[in-house]
Amino acid sequence: MSITYKYDLQKKNDLFKLYEILGWNSFLKLSSDNILKAMKQSFLVVYAYDGDKLIGTGRVVSDGIINAYLCGLGVLPNYQNRGIGTEIIKKITKHCKENNLHLQFLCEKNLLPYYKKMGFEEFAIGMKLL
């Protein structure tokens, strides 16, 4: 397995497939074009590939000055627990630190130990509009 990390999407349809496999699109209900548009409008996107197969991604939405928000970090199930998500996070945090951006995100409670292991700390309670 030779994993590479890129900042450009190689094939547009791969992203839609990734969202479908991860189950994200059952909630988001986005077209392939809208998912692609979200990536293009992001401050930073990191894509993980095994050869030419898209296996993971993570992105940052930011004002480019103060705040940065991690979203959409996901790795295909059969590639999880191999350090791929961790490497994506490392690339994202490095970029945010270099740009003096305060990286924040929301996550599920069961993921707290994963992120704490990478130096993040719990600091707020999230809210959403129903």
Side-chain angles (χ1 to χ4, degrees):
M1 176 175 74
S2 176
I3 306 302
T4 57
Y5 300 89
K6 301 180 180 183
Y7 298 93
D8 294 311
L9 183 64
Q10 305 302 297
K11 293 184 253 172
K12 154 181 161 170
N13 290 335
D14 288 349
L15 199 54
F16 185 77
K17 290 178 196 171
L18 181 72
Y19 270 56
E20 287 288 315
I21 293 168
L22 292 173
W24 294 350
N25 214 24
S26 61
F27 168 74
L28 297 171
K29 298 183 183 350
L30 296 172
S31 69
S32 178
D33 288 337
N34 281 340
I35 293 171
L36 185 61
K37 185 176 181 181
M39 295 300 144
K40 286 182 178 178
Q41 292 179 346
S42 296
F43 181 76
L44 174 70
V45 184
V46 178
Y47 300 101
Y49 286 90
D50 182 3
D52 65 350
K53 179 181 181 179
L54 179 65
I55 60 167
T57 189
R59 70 187 182 107
V60 173
V61 177
S62 176
D63 55 24
I65 305 297
I66 302 167
N67 295 311
Y69 301 94
L70 172 67
C71 49
L73 175 67
V75 176
L76 289 176
N78 53 338
Y79 285 88
Q80 291 175 2
N81 299 310
R82 298 184 189 182
I84 297 164
T86 300
E87 187 62 28
I88 292 171
I89 291 285
K90 285 179 182 177
K91 292 183 179 312
I92 286 172
T93 55
K94 180 178 186 271
H95 187 83
C96 288
K97 285 178 182 179
E98 288 171 351
N99 288 278
N100 285 334
L101 296 172
H102 301 276
L103 184 61
Q104 306 169 45
F105 56 91
L106 298 171
C107 71
E108 297 170 2
K109 196 169 194 115
N110 63 313
L111 294 174
L112 288 174
Y114 172 76
Y115 289 109
K116 285 181 179 181
K117 210 169 50 175
M118 288 184 281
F120 291 96
E121 66 181 7
E122 195 173 349
F123 78 102
I125 297 173
M127 303 292 288
K128 70 178 183 177
L129 186 61
L130 297 177

mmCIF file of all heavy atoms in Angstrom, residues 68-89:
data_model
loop_
_atom_site.group_PDB
_atom_site.id
_atom_site.type_symbol
_atom_site.label_atom_id
_atom_site.label_comp_id
_atom_site.label_asym_id
_atom_site.label_seq_id
_atom_site.Cartn_x
_atom_site.Cartn_y
_atom_site.Cartn_z
ATOM 1 N N ALA A 68 -10.383 28.728 11.488
ATOM 2 C CA ALA A 68 -10.417 27.641 10.521
ATOM 3 C C ALA A 68 -11.240 26.515 11.128
ATOM 4 O O ALA A 68 -11.109 26.222 12.322
ATOM 5 C CB ALA A 68 -9.007 27.164 10.204
ATOM 6 N N TYR A 69 -12.075 25.907 10.335
ATOM 7 C CA TYR A 69 -12.955 24.853 10.816
ATOM 8 C C TYR A 69 -12.727 23.579 10.014
ATOM 9 O O TYR A 69 -12.908 23.572 8.799
ATOM 10 C CB TYR A 69 -14.420 25.296 10.724
ATOM 11 C CG TYR A 69 -14.661 26.535 11.525
ATOM 12 C CD1 TYR A 69 -14.595 27.794 10.937
ATOM 13 C CD2 TYR A 69 -14.896 26.453 12.898
ATOM 14 C CE1 TYR A 69 -14.770 28.942 11.691
ATOM 15 C CE2 TYR A 69 -15.074 27.598 13.652
ATOM 16 C CZ TYR A 69 -15.008 28.841 13.036
ATOM 17 O OH TYR A 69 -15.176 29.972 13.789
ATOM 18 N N LEU A 70 -12.310 22.547 10.702
ATOM 19 C CA LEU A 70 -12.108 21.246 10.084
ATOM 20 C C LEU A 70 -13.465 20.619 9.845
ATOM 21 O O LEU A 70 -14.326 20.616 10.724
ATOM 22 C CB LEU A 70 -11.284 20.358 11.023
ATOM 23 C CG LEU A 70 -11.136 18.889 10.635
ATOM 24 C CD1 LEU A 70 -10.296 18.759 9.368
ATOM 25 C CD2 LEU A 70 -10.518 18.112 11.776
ATOM 26 N N CYS A 71 -13.657 20.085 8.657
ATOM 27 C CA CYS A 71 -14.896 19.360 8.382
ATOM 28 C C CYS A 71 -14.629 18.290 7.330
ATOM 29 O O CYS A 71 -13.648 18.350 6.593
ATOM 30 C CB CYS A 71 -16.026 20.292 7.967
ATOM 31 S SG CYS A 71 -15.650 21.472 6.701
ATOM 32 N N GLY A 72 -15.498 17.332 7.288
ATOM 33 C CA GLY A 72 -15.411 16.311 6.260
ATOM 34 C C GLY A 72 -14.171 15.447 6.321
ATOM 35 O O GLY A 72 -13.650 15.058 5.280
ATOM 36 N N LEU A 73 -13.691 15.116 7.499
ATOM 37 C CA LEU A 73 -12.571 14.184 7.606
ATOM 38 C C LEU A 73 -13.132 12.776 7.573
ATOM 39 O O LEU A 73 -13.937 12.404 8.420
ATOM 40 C CB LEU A 73 -11.793 14.399 8.908
ATOM 41 C CG LEU A 73 -10.676 13.376 9.155
ATOM 42 C CD1 LEU A 73 -9.559 13.546 8.135
ATOM 43 C CD2 LEU A 73 -10.135 13.502 10.558
ATOM 44 N N GLY A 74 -12.723 12.026 6.576
ATOM 45 C CA GLY A 74 -13.207 10.653 6.472
ATOM 46 C C GLY A 74 -12.269 9.790 5.658
ATOM 47 O O GLY A 74 -11.624 10.262 4.720
ATOM 48 N N VAL A 75 -12.218 8.526 6.027
ATOM 49 C CA VAL A 75 -11.397 7.535 5.355
ATOM 50 C C VAL A 75 -12.282 6.308 5.107
ATOM 51 O O VAL A 75 -13.064 5.917 5.990
ATOM 52 C CB VAL A 75 -10.165 7.161 6.208
ATOM 53 C CG1 VAL A 75 -9.362 6.057 5.563
ATOM 54 C CG2 VAL A 75 -9.293 8.391 6.457
ATOM 55 N N LEU A 76 -12.151 5.710 3.922
ATOM 56 C CA LEU A 76 -12.922 4.511 3.631
ATOM 57 C C LEU A 76 -12.735 3.469 4.744
ATOM 58 O O LEU A 76 -11.627 3.308 5.259
ATOM 59 C CB LEU A 76 -12.479 3.904 2.303
ATOM 60 C CG LEU A 76 -12.858 4.673 1.045
ATOM 61 C CD1 LEU A 76 -12.271 3.986 -0.183
ATOM 62 C CD2 LEU A 76 -14.366 4.807 0.903
ATOM 63 N N PRO A 77 -13.811 2.778 5.114
ATOM 64 C CA PRO A 77 -13.749 1.836 6.235
ATOM 65 C C PRO A 77 -12.603 0.819 6.165
ATOM 66 O O PRO A 77 -11.937 0.569 7.168
ATOM 67 C CB PRO A 77 -15.109 1.130 6.189
ATOM 68 C CG PRO A 77 -16.015 2.140 5.571
ATOM 69 C CD PRO A 77 -15.172 2.873 4.561
ATOM 70 N N ASN A 78 -12.334 0.248 5.002
ATOM 71 C CA ASN A 78 -11.280 -0.769 4.929
ATOM 72 C C ASN A 78 -9.873 -0.170 4.924
ATOM 73 O O ASN A 78 -8.893 -0.911 4.882
ATOM 74 C CB ASN A 78 -11.482 -1.712 3.739
ATOM 75 C CG ASN A 78 -11.637 -0.987 2.422
ATOM 76 O OD1 ASN A 78 -11.989 0.186 2.393
ATOM 77 N ND2 ASN A 78 -11.388 -1.666 1.333
ATOM 78 N N TYR A 79 -9.752 1.163 5.020
ATOM 79 C CA TYR A 79 -8.459 1.831 5.136
ATOM 80 C C TYR A 79 -8.286 2.502 6.500
ATOM 81 O O TYR A 79 -7.267 3.113 6.762
ATOM 82 C CB TYR A 79 -8.295 2.890 4.041
ATOM 83 C CG TYR A 79 -7.998 2.304 2.682
ATOM 84 C CD1 TYR A 79 -9.025 1.940 1.825
ATOM 85 C CD2 TYR A 79 -6.687 2.134 2.255
ATOM 86 C CE1 TYR A 79 -8.749 1.412 0.574
ATOM 87 C CE2 TYR A 79 -6.399 1.606 1.006
ATOM 88 C CZ TYR A 79 -7.440 1.246 0.172
ATOM 89 O OH TYR A 79 -7.159 0.721 -1.068
ATOM 90 N N GLN A 80 -9.304 2.404 7.344
ATOM 91 C CA GLN A 80 -9.236 3.039 8.660
ATOM 92 C C GLN A 80 -8.258 2.308 9.577
ATOM 93 O O GLN A 80 -7.922 1.149 9.347
ATOM 94 C CB GLN A 80 -10.627 3.102 9.286
ATOM 95 C CG GLN A 80 -11.535 4.069 8.553
ATOM 96 C CD GLN A 80 -12.957 4.076 9.076
ATOM 97 O OE1 GLN A 80 -13.306 3.394 10.026
ATOM 98 N NE2 GLN A 80 -13.801 4.879 8.434
ATOM 99 N N ASN A 81 -7.802 3.007 10.593
ATOM 100 C CA ASN A 81 -6.852 2.484 11.586
ATOM 101 C C ASN A 81 -5.490 2.166 10.977
ATOM 102 O O ASN A 81 -4.796 1.268 11.443
ATOM 103 C CB ASN A 81 -7.430 1.262 12.310
ATOM 104 C CG ASN A 81 -8.695 1.597 13.051
ATOM 105 O OD1 ASN A 81 -8.732 2.573 13.803
ATOM 106 N ND2 ASN A 81 -9.737 0.838 12.818
ATOM 107 N N ARG A 82 -5.122 2.922 9.945
ATOM 108 C CA ARG A 82 -3.810 2.761 9.317
ATOM 109 C C ARG A 82 -3.019 4.075 9.321
ATOM 110 O O ARG A 82 -2.021 4.202 8.634
ATOM 111 C CB ARG A 82 -3.957 2.270 7.878
ATOM 112 C CG ARG A 82 -4.605 0.917 7.761
ATOM 113 C CD ARG A 82 -4.619 0.463 6.331
ATOM 114 N NE ARG A 82 -5.421 -0.726 6.161
ATOM 115 C CZ ARG A 82 -5.564 -1.351 5.010
ATOM 116 N NH1 ARG A 82 -4.945 -0.895 3.937
ATOM 117 N NH2 ARG A 82 -6.322 -2.413 4.920
ATOM 118 N N GLY A 83 -3.527 5.074 10.054
ATOM 119 C CA GLY A 83 -2.827 6.348 10.165
ATOM 120 C C GLY A 83 -3.130 7.341 9.062
ATOM 121 O O GLY A 83 -2.540 8.422 9.010
ATOM 122 N N ILE A 84 -4.057 7.029 8.181
ATOM 123 C CA ILE A 84 -4.367 7.901 7.046
ATOM 124 C C ILE A 84 -5.084 9.165 7.509
ATOM 125 O O ILE A 84 -4.713 10.278 7.126
ATOM 126 C CB ILE A 84 -5.185 7.134 5.984
ATOM 127 C CG1 ILE A 84 -4.333 5.980 5.440
ATOM 128 C CG2 ILE A 84 -5.656 8.066 4.868
ATOM 129 C CD1 ILE A 84 -5.102 4.927 4.684
ATOM 130 N N GLY A 85 -6.109 9.008 8.343
ATOM 131 C CA GLY A 85 -6.806 10.174 8.889
ATOM 132 C C GLY A 85 -5.866 11.036 9.717
ATOM 133 O O GLY A 85 -5.900 12.270 9.654
ATOM 134 N N THR A 86 -4.995 10.398 10.466
ATOM 135 C CA THR A 86 -4.011 11.124 11.282
ATOM 136 C C THR A 86 -3.076 11.941 10.398
ATOM 137 O O THR A 86 -2.773 13.091 10.700
ATOM 138 C CB THR A 86 -3.206 10.136 12.150
ATOM 139 O OG1 THR A 86 -4.126 9.443 13.006
ATOM 140 C CG2 THR A 86 -2.170 10.853 12.988
ATOM 141 N N GLU A 87 -2.647 11.369 9.296
ATOM 142 C CA GLU A 87 -1.757 12.091 8.377
ATOM 143 C C GLU A 87 -2.481 13.273 7.733
ATOM 144 O O GLU A 87 -1.906 14.348 7.564
ATOM 145 C CB GLU A 87 -1.203 11.150 7.307
ATOM 146 C CG GLU A 87 -0.152 11.784 6.442
ATOM 147 C CD GLU A 87 1.096 12.244 7.190
ATOM 148 O OE1 GLU A 87 1.441 11.662 8.239
ATOM 149 O OE2 GLU A 87 1.729 13.221 6.720
ATOM 150 N N ILE A 88 -3.744 13.095 7.390
ATOM 151 C CA ILE A 88 -4.534 14.209 6.841
ATOM 152 C C ILE A 88 -4.600 15.334 7.874
ATOM 153 O O ILE A 88 -4.377 16.504 7.548
ATOM 154 C CB ILE A 88 -5.948 13.736 6.425
ATOM 155 C CG1 ILE A 88 -5.849 12.800 5.208
ATOM 156 C CG2 ILE A 88 -6.854 14.930 6.122
ATOM 157 C CD1 ILE A 88 -7.160 12.110 4.840
ATOM 158 N N ILE A 89 -4.898 14.981 9.132
ATOM 159 C CA ILE A 89 -4.974 15.979 10.214
ATOM 160 C C ILE A 89 -3.628 16.677 10.387
ATOM 161 O O ILE A 89 -3.568 17.892 10.572
ATOM 162 C CB ILE A 89 -5.391 15.320 11.544
ATOM 163 C CG1 ILE A 89 -6.834 14.854 11.471
ATOM 164 C CG2 ILE A 89 -5.210 16.274 12.710
ATOM 165 C CD1 ILE A 89 -7.860 15.936 11.557
#
